[in-house]
């Protein structure tokens, strides 16, 4: 029975629902993130929101405190799912190294040595940018692409691998990641504010002691929620501010930490407004991977003579085929070397025959 792409995937990703959802190898961390969001909101609704139902002028207005908390939490969880369960921008692997980039040097030896350039120059916004070759994926990484050692994939516009969402953050899920972090910040502010308001209500209650200590003993859950939200704000709030800076300057986390000391010119910076428009108002590109497609069978390569005649008609992309298993790069280079040796011997035989 033919297998699908996600069933023979070479990365460390985990797939669910027949390849419709793709997670990172540390997808279990989503349970912790889910609990850190949902559990405080449940405590808030039971021990704080429930007592604020009748604390507003309109009788039914108090119910909006609970409804808003529940709906906004669902919104945050949807953003979490959109961030962690989609292709972040994985660049498909090549089945073979790019043969057109190989150079051959004999150097007086019988077997020519194969020289594979590790970098090459590409133009970005009129400026030359150096891109590197990835041995694992057997391709030259596009600009701003990096290989994630956790997921074992090359990811376009790689920002970082986030253990809290269990996924790489890249070109296709960065907007959702930022919305998730910033929305979590607003949720913390909301729970903190409503808990503080309930403390104030308890202090003004005629039956209470009228002191902060009395309100704290009356509602210890409010104290716990305020402390939890205050600590969380240092993380998600700081992360929101940091990514606002990155978006305004059109940087990624990876670029900021790696090239911060180089003081190099940022060729991707288009101005603050255009940078924000690029992230939030640009249509997200479709995935370059068809995880549910059936894997194509490996085709045997034609003989050397036939392959030589077909080279002039076939482009570089035609010579690459997607196969089930990645071939070892050393084996590919050896085959290429043997083919050129065979062609060299044939040419020598022809030249000797002509001389005779």
């Amino acid at each position: 029975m033919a297998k699908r792409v996600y069933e023979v995937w070479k990365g460390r990703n985990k797939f669910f629902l027949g390849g419709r959802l793709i997670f990172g190898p540390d997808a279990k961390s989503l349970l912790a993130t889910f609990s850190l969001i949902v559990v405080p909101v449940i405590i808030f609704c039971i021990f704080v929101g429930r007592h604020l139902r009748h604390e507003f002028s309109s009788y039914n207005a108090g119910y909006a405190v609970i409804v808003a908390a529940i709906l906004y939490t669902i919104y945050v969880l949807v953003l979490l799912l959109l961030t962690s369960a989609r292709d972040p921008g994985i660049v498909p692997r090549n089945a073979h190294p790019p043969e057109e980039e190989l150079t051959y040097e004999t150097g007086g030896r019988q077997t020519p040595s194969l020289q594979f350039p590790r970098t090459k120059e590409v133009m970005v916004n009129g400026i030359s940018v150096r891109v590197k070759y990835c041995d694992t994926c057997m391709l030259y990484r596009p600009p701003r692409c990096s290989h994630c050692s956790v997921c074992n994939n090359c990811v376009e516009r790689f920002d970082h691998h986030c253990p809290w969402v269990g996924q790489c953050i890249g070109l296709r899920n960065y907007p959702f990641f930022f919305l998730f972090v910033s929305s979590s910040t607003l949720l913390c502010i909301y729970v903190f504010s409503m808990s503080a308001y309930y403390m104030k209500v308890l202090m003004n209650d005629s039956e209470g002691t009228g002191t902060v200590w009395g309100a704290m003993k009356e509602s210890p859950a409010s104290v716990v929620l305020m402390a939890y939200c205050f600590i969380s704000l240092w993380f998600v709030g700081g992360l929101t501010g940091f990514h606002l800076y990155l978006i305004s300057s059109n940087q990624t986390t990876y670029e900021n930490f790696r090239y911060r000391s180089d003081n190099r010119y940022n060729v991707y910076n288009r101005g603050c407004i255009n940078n924000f428009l690029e992230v939030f108002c640009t249509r997200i590109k479709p995935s370059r991977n068809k995880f549910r497609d059936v894997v194509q069978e490996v085709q045997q390569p034609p003989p050397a003579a036939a392959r030589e005649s077909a080279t002039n008609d076939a482009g570089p992309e035609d010579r690459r085929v997607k196969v089930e298993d990645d071939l070892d790069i050393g084996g590919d280079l050896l085959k290429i070397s043997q083919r050129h040796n065979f062609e060299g011997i044939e040419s020598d035989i022809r030249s000797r025959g002509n001389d005779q």
Side-chain angles (χ1 to χ4, degrees), residues 3 12 15 17 33 63 73 86 93 117 137 139 172-173 179 190 198 203 243 245 259 271 276 285 304 313 321 327 346:
K3 294 184 177 181
R12 300 193 184 99
F15 296 88
L17 298 180
T33 305
Y63 287 93
T73 301
R86 68 189 290 124
R93 301 186 182 199
C137 301
L139 52 81
R172 299 189 68 251
N173 64 349
L179 291 175
Y190 178 79
Y198 181 54
M203 291 174 59
H243 279 278
Y245 160 71
Y259 306 122
F276 273 92
K285 297 180 180 179
D313 298 329
V321 292
L327 299 178
E346 281 187 339

Side-chain angles (χ1 to χ4, degrees), residues 132 141 144-147 158-160 246 251-259:
K132 296 181 179 180
R141 302 168 186 163
R144 313 192 85 176
C145 175
S146 183
H147 191 89
F158 177 77
D159 191 88
H160 69 290
L246 292 179
Q251 298 183 71
T252 64
T253 302
Y254 178 81
E255 294 168 347
N256 180 266
F257 279 87
R258 180 164 185 174
Y259 306 122

Side-chain angles (χ1 to χ4, degrees), residues 252-323:
T252 64
T253 302
Y254 178 81
E255 294 168 347
N256 180 266
F257 279 87
R258 180 164 185 174
Y259 306 122
R260 183 175 3 184
S261 59
D262 295 349
N263 294 323
R264 63 173 60 186
Y265 176 74
N266 185 5
V267 300
Y268 308 104
N269 191 353
R270 303 167 54 193
C272 183
I273 297 178
N274 289 328
N275 292 338
F276 273 92
L277 293 176
E278 179 181 329
V279 173
F280 298 109
C281 299
T282 302
R283 184 176 181 180
I284 298 177
K285 297 180 180 179
S287 175
R288 298 173 64 178
N289 301 278
K290 306 299 182 183
F291 298 111
R292 291 180 50 78
D293 283 0
V294 177
V295 177
Q296 300 296 326
E297 295 183 359
V298 180
Q299 298 180 355
Q300 295 297 331
R307 184 167 57 227
E308 180 68 18
S309 63
T311 302
N312 298 328
D313 298 329
E317 294 297 330
D318 295 331
R319 295 196 297 270
R320 303 176 192 168
V321 292
K322 291 298 178 183
V323 296

Side-chain angles (χ1 to χ4, degrees), residues 51-70:
H51 299 289
L52 292 176
R53 290 176 299 172
H54 310 303
E55 296 297 331
F56 296 90
S57 56
S58 177
Y59 179 83
N60 294 325
Y63 287 93
V65 175
I66 299 177
V67 173
I70 294 174

